[in-house]
Amino acid sequence: MKLFPILGGIHPEYRKELASEKAIVALPMPVALYIPLQQHIGAPAEVLVNEGDLVKKGQMIARSGGAVSSPQHAATSGRIKAVTDVTAPHPSGLPQTTIILEPDGKDEWGDLPEPITDPFTADPHAIHERVAQSGIVGMGGAAFPSAVKLNLGTQKKLEILLLNGAECEPYLTCDDRVMREYPDEIIDGARIMAHALGTARVVIAIEQNKPQAISIMTKAASAFPDVEVVGVPVQYPMGSERHLVQAITGRETPARKLTADLGVVVHNVATARAVHHAVRFGRPLVARVVTVSGGAIREPNNVMTPIGARIADLIEFCGGFSARPESIVNGGPMMGQPLASLDAPVVKGTSGILALTAEEINDRPTSACIRCGNCVTVCPCGLSPLDMAAFIRKDNLDVAAKLGVMDCFSCGSCSWVCPSHIPLVHYFNYAKGVLNDLERESRKNERIKSLAEVRIIRIEKAAEAKRAALAARKPASDAAPPSTGGEAKAATEEKANT
Amino acid sequence: MYGMLIAIGSLTLIGLTLGTILGAAARQFAVKEDPLEEELKAMLPGSQCGQCGYVGCGQYAAALAKGEAEVTLCAPGGKVLIEALANKLGVTADLSGHEERVPEHAFIIEDLCIGCTRCIRECSTDAIMGANKLMHTIIVDACHGCAKCVPVCPTDAIVMVPVQVTLRNWHWSKPEIEQTQPKQEVAHAH
Ligand code: SF4
Ligand code: SF4
């Protein structure tokens, strides 16, 4: 298959060998699971259980909270200990509403929805329904509800389902292992999704630094003429949805558009496997493979983890720390976020937990920009990081916005390459946060404005009604057109009488 | 029956007449709004809270357009608005006296509320819910923090509290290195 070049990018040290040869092992069931209501983009789920309830594995314990949302399920059987605030797996360490489940040790499945026996003749809606019900979200990290993305076929003409097995982040090997150990499940899930989307082709893209995964997946796909496996060049951030689409189709997704507008829908390989389980067995998403790695982890591994296990449980299972971790990262080292607490749980979007040593992080003092232009060369979005950062530093966010800071997807390439160690991506994260705040604020102001207007109109109406009533009591000839003063008076009267 | 018809008929007639007269008057006496004034008005929050000392946002905008008012008077607008107004009018804003507040919303201490409805009448954005002799509560999304309701409460049941930082609105603060001036942590943009 002909591939197309992508813009910019870097070649960081991958260090995948730490975990890539470790077969997936299951985490022993922890003493408690912490299942947050919000593990996805969109509205949080709504709790369906109360303290003390007994639940079975796979039972829905929180239902979808809106059109873009996802339900949550019990990852094992047991008793609901509480529904309360627990630290979120988030750099802020802020709490969020979480269901605490005490496993009973039986790990008993509850009643599951019937398997869809022949998914390829099933109505696509039945598949959307099942995927939505099963709480499946994008498992590459973004955690966008998969059913919403599967619905795109009803709105747009789609050609390709692109399965993302690039795994371009250093250290992470969970997708690699899933592809090597469960290739048939992934391909079945992908074909079901392609049927639901109405795409004729499935393309599975894997970075060339995973030769075993490529050969195993190619073999598994050989039975299906509509499924093609391609090795893509090793170039960070190849696994970004837009860039992968560009590498495969040669077409660039315009800013603020979806890849679906180009006829391509991208799903992660692990998501495809989850779809296979949901459709063929009725099983919701209750566990995922997490790579635990980094120089400070004693035994790096790929761990099948029930959703809601604490990060501390995972680290302990991997032998604890062998060196002082300078930073614990949720996700990959490039785009992952530092974790504020090890008490936070593993959620559906957790692809890796990395404990990095000071050496690996290589945090050095910042010096002035030497205008070498390296950051411009590597930016895969064609932005000019040095200029944007300079304006943000001077609190000139308007100019940064004009330079396209909102198009930056925080891949971190610019920070990585900067010889002056300027925390470029940190500036952009800050600026995007502030700009989003302003946007929210102005939306609120709009609302407030209209609320105030509605109120004024209401008061005037009431005053008018009062005048009319007054006029009706008197002979019609007396009702002279009221002066503005009278109106104001009526308005104050109304105010006093409400 | 007949009397009712007359009443309805006369009411309709009065309504129509008044409407026509009002409409004509509006057209006849329409004040040509100054385009600058219009623009300034659009920039103001529009909640008519009156904290600037004028009756409403429109009057403040008019005073601004005539150069009769300082750009720093609108409290809910905050620093962002002051700068925007100064920019528009080509003046330099004196921010020295301006204390940037963190965004706030009103909160009713429910145990103290006697349900007198005074705050409801005061609120210009209908952000307070409640009925006579029943406890009142603030709809946080509709409250823009003007604090007009605080002084009218006879039992001091209304307090202003900072808008909470949650997972939804949290964001990274500005990198500390190279920070040009010492500044408190910016969890919010204002
Ligand atoms: S890479 Fe760093 S030093 Fe070079 S131009 Fe960009 S910001 Fe400046
Ligand atoms: S972090 Fe943003 S600005 Fe920097 S290289 Fe990536 S996309 Fe470009």
Side-chain angles (χ1 to χ4, degrees), chain A residues 55-110:
Chain A
V55 297
K56 287 281 197 292
K57 182 172 183 175
Q59 181 179 331
M60 193 185 284
I61 53 177
R63 64 158 177 248
S64 169
V68 179
S69 183
S70 175
Q72 316 296 352
H73 301 80
T76 187
S77 55
R79 191 180 141 270
I80 303 297
K81 194 176 162 206
V83 180
T84 180
D85 275 358
V86 171
T87 312
H90 188 263
S92 67
L94 286 166
Q96 69 169 327
T97 315
T98 301
I99 301 172
I100 307 180
L101 168 61
E102 257 176 357
D104 58 12
K106 296 190 203 127
D107 205 30
E108 238 175 321
W109 284 99

Side-chain angles (χ1 to χ4, degrees), chain A residues 262-464:
Chain A
L262 303 183
V264 188
V265 171
V266 186
H267 280 282
N268 173 269
V269 284
T271 312
R273 180 167 178 249
V275 169
H276 163 83
H277 285 160
V279 170
R280 299 285 186 181
F281 306 104
R283 287 190 203 146
L285 177 57
V286 291
R288 67 157 297 143
V289 182
V290 181
T291 301
V292 185
S293 189
I297 293 282
R298 195 170 313 248
E299 295 154 22
N301 217 334
N302 299 294
V303 189
M304 180 62 83
T305 313
I307 300 299
R310 284 183 323 149
I311 286 156
D313 298 332
L314 258 186
I315 292 179
E316 195 190 302
F317 178 70
C318 295
F321 298 124
S322 57
R324 204 183 83 81
E326 187 63 28
S327 168
I328 312 279
V329 179
N330 176 13
M334 297 299 300
M335 289 186 72
Q337 305 267 0
L339 276 168
S341 163
L342 295 185
D343 289 334
V346 166
V347 293
K348 293 170 182 174
T350 312
S351 49
I353 297 295
L354 308 178
L356 303 175
T357 60
E359 211 174 298
E360 288 174 291
I361 292 180
N362 194 14
D363 229 350
R364 269 177 287 166
T366 302
S367 44
C369 171
I370 55 170
R371 301 193 74 82
C372 64
N374 286 354
C375 53
V376 182
T377 316
V378 300
C379 178
C381 295
L383 301 169
S384 177
L386 77 154
D387 294 322
M388 296 194 302
F391 284 111
I392 296 165
R393 213 182 114 206
K394 287 259 146 65
D395 290 317
N396 220 332
L397 297 188
D398 285 353
V399 184
K402 282 204 194 85
L403 291 175
V405 72
M406 290 316 264
D407 296 337
C408 159
F409 70 110
S410 301
C411 73
S413 300
C414 51
S415 295
W416 185 85
V417 83
C418 177
S420 297
H421 301 281
I422 299 171
L424 295 162
V425 68
H426 187 167
Y427 276 112
F428 309 148
N429 286 339
Y430 156 73
K432 285 188 277 183
V434 174
L435 290 168
N436 280 333
D437 259 4
L438 288 176
E439 156 96 35
R440 238 196 320 266
E441 190 82 347
S442 83
R443 246 179 295 142
K444 181 171 176 181
N445 284 344
E446 278 308 306
R447 237 194 95 197
I448 298 258
K449 220 175 235 187
S450 62
L451 279 174
E453 276 159 19
V454 167
R455 184 184 143 95
I456 289 168
I457 292 172
R458 196 188 59 222
I459 289 176
E460 267 165 17
K461 268 224 186 90
E464 183 105 353

Side-chain angles (χ1 to χ4, degrees), chain A residues 38 42-44 88 90-92 94-96 337-338 366-367 392-395 422-423 426-427 429-430 433-434 437-438 440-441 444-445 447-449 451-452 455-456 458 464 468 471-472 476 479-482 487 495-496 498, chain B residues 10-11 14 18 21-22 41-48 76 80 103 117 120-126 139-144 148 165-178 180-181 183 186-190:
Chain A
Q38 175 117 51
H90 188 263
S92 67
L94 286 166
Q96 69 169 327
Q337 305 267 0
T366 302
S367 44
I392 296 165
R393 213 182 114 206
K394 287 259 146 65
D395 290 317
I422 299 171
H426 187 167
Y427 276 112
N429 286 339
Y430 156 73
V434 174
D437 259 4
L438 288 176
R440 238 196 320 266
E441 190 82 347
K444 181 171 176 181
N445 284 344
R447 237 194 95 197
I448 298 258
K449 220 175 235 187
L451 279 174
R455 184 184 143 95
I456 289 168
R458 196 188 59 222
E464 183 105 353
E487 220 169 291
K495 241 187 155 184
T498 19
Chain B
S10 59
L11 260 184
I14 295 167
L18 289 185
I21 296 173
L22 270 178
K41 197 165 126 197
M43 290 163 77
L44 295 171
S47 52
Q48 321 296 350
V80 181
T117 74
I120 298 189
R121 274 176 267 146
E122 198 61 33
C123 178
S124 44
T125 59
D126 291 334
I139 306 164
V140 175
D141 275 350
C143 169
H144 71 137
K148 261 203 323 180
V165 179
T166 62
L167 287 178
R168 281 196 180 265
N169 60 13
W170 178 91
H171 62 71
W172 287 102
S173 52
K174 192 171 171 182
E176 268 165 39
I177 350 159
E178 315 178 288
T180 38
Q181 69 237 25
K183 217 196 241 183
V186 220
H188 276 279
H190 289 278

Side-chain angles (χ1 to χ4, degrees), chain B residues 67-89:
Chain B
E68 288 167 0
E70 292 283 333
V71 290
T72 50
L73 300 182
C74 176
K79 187 165 149 239
V80 181
L81 177 67
I82 297 178
E83 276 167 359
L85 289 176
N87 230 331
K88 178 105 243 155
L89 295 168

